[in-house]
């Protein structure tokens, strides 16, 4: 997951809120002056909310939210010839 900002900041965090009610806050790694990244793996199906949070240069805290829908699949459902 990549967060792109239009300002520099010292840290960016993401908090996934899973459909089951579980949550955890992860610190993202700086990719460059305006991009931060972190690998996120969802092991449960459902619609999950992810909130990215960063502090702006003026000290205000900004956040943005996206939703991810994870659906169950089996290897029989995947046509590997069409993936590449």
């Amino acid at each position: 997951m990549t967060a792109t900002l239009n300002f520099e900041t010292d840290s960016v965090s993401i908090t996934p809120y899973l459909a089951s009610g579980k949550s955890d806050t992860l610190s993202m790694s700086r990719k460059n002056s305006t991009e931060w990244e972190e690998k996120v793996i969802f092991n449960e199906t459902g619609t999950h909310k992810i909130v990215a949070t960063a502090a702006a240069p003026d000290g205000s805290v900004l956040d943005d939210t996206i939703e991810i829908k994870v659906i169950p699949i089996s290897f029989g459902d995947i046509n590997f010839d069409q993936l590449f």
Side-chain angles (χ1 to χ4, degrees):
M1 174 168 284
T2 300
T4 304
L5 310 173
N6 61 1
F7 56 87
E8 284 197 43
T9 188
D10 292 329
S11 66
V12 177
S13 65
I14 53 173
T15 304
Y17 295 93
L18 303 181
S20 65
K22 299 175 191 172
S23 67
D24 191 15
T25 300
L26 308 167
S27 295
M28 299 185 84
S29 299
R30 183 187 296 268
K31 184 176 179 181
N32 58 47
S33 64
T34 59
E35 290 185 314
W36 295 75
E37 60 188 2
E38 181 64 27
K39 184 176 182 176
V40 180
I41 298 172
F42 293 96
N43 293 321
E44 65 180 65
T45 60
T47 302
H48 313 297
K49 180 174 74 169
I50 300 172
V51 178
T53 305
D58 66 2
S60 62
V61 176
L62 305 171
D63 59 30
D64 199 4
T65 303
I66 62 168
E67 285 190 350
I68 303 290
K69 185 173 184 177
V70 178
I71 58 172
I73 62 169
S74 67
F75 286 111
D77 297 334
I78 301 172
N79 182 345
F80 289 99
D81 294 331
Q82 292 180 344
L83 290 177
F84 304 102

